[in-house]
Amino acid sequence: DEALKQDVDVSQYLRFNTAEALTLIYAGGCNLSRSLGDILNCADDFDGKLNFLFFCYGTENDYRKVEEICNKRHNCYLYHAVDRITLLNVMAECDIGIQYYDPDYSINHYLAAPSKFFEYVSVGLNVVSSNNHGIDRIIQEYDLGVCFTKEEGIKGGIEMLLKKNFD
């Protein structure tokens, strides 16, 4: 991708309290009632192992709520959404990309093939994804990461990926 060939300084986004920890990135909506809240709820379980890097778009009110939660955690870093070129360059410095579309929420979520998935893969990230129709087969066939069921949850998906690819 041409975006990765551009000289973009992303170091300001990669200053972590635990530099030796892996970095998991989430890029998407700033809405606690959806997957972002679930990701934040399990972040403490990975303190020292994972830095959680969030690039979010949404209302200032939602952003402040997420910021308040992140500020209480040692391993969570929140930024407003950035342009695509910057985001891809940040992603290229991370280890894991996460996406969650509850397949039980709607047929749209069940069949979702979000562009974020393809961006993660294009920069070589390991992917943690909900078990959505179609994406699950791509992840499994090409060994791109792990898919988790609703019962396993986001925490279980992250644990599976860490055990599979980083232990």
Side-chain angles (χ1 to χ4, degrees):
D1 190 309
E2 290 298 313
L4 294 176
K5 294 178 184 172
Q6 297 183 26
D7 189 22
V8 178
D9 180 14
V10 296
S11 60
Q12 68 187 12
Y13 303 111
L14 302 171
R15 296 184 183 125
F16 304 119
N17 292 326
T18 310
E20 64 278 359
L22 298 170
T23 302
L24 179 146
I25 189 169
Y26 165 90
C30 198
N31 185 332
L32 289 171
S33 67
R34 307 240 336 241
S35 61
L36 181 56
D38 294 336
I39 297 167
L40 285 165
N41 285 337
C42 74
D44 284 341
D45 296 322
F46 299 100
D47 194 13
K49 297 177 189 173
L50 280 178
N51 293 308
F52 287 77
L53 185 56
F54 302 99
F55 285 87
C56 296
Y57 61 87
T59 68
E60 275 305 308
N61 187 45
D62 285 339
Y63 188 88
R64 279 193 300 277
K65 288 177 186 175
V66 173
E67 185 175 46
E68 191 175 304
I69 294 168
C70 286
N71 287 341
K72 293 177 183 173
R73 289 178 166 74
H74 183 73
N75 61 338
C76 290
Y77 306 86
L78 175 66
Y79 297 96
H80 286 281
V82 294
D83 63 87
R84 182 176 178 273
I85 291 171
T86 301
L87 183 61
L88 286 171
N89 280 275
V90 171
M91 285 179 183
E93 299 296 323
C94 297
D95 303 290
I96 301 165
I98 192 162
Q99 67 172 21
Y100 178 63
Y101 285 78
D102 181 354
D104 294 334
Y105 181 77
S106 70
I107 190 71
N108 181 49
H109 279 213
Y110 175 70
L111 298 172
S115 61
K116 211 53 63 204
F117 166 74
F118 297 101
E119 290 171 353
Y120 291 157
V121 170
S122 75
V123 298
L125 294 184
N126 294 272
V127 178
V128 175
S129 176
S130 47
N131 202 23
N132 295 66
H133 183 70
I135 292 293
D136 57 349
R137 290 186 297 197
I138 295 169
I139 290 173
Q140 291 164 4
E141 184 175 337
Y142 295 98
D143 196 26
L144 300 172
V146 297
C147 294
F148 59 89
T149 64
K150 191 170 189 169
E151 293 73 34
E152 292 164 328
I154 288 173
K155 179 183 174 190
I158 295 170
E159 288 171 338
M160 285 188 294
L161 182 75
L162 291 175
K163 185 174 183 175
K164 177 182 179 238
N165 290 3
F166 295 99
D167 273 351

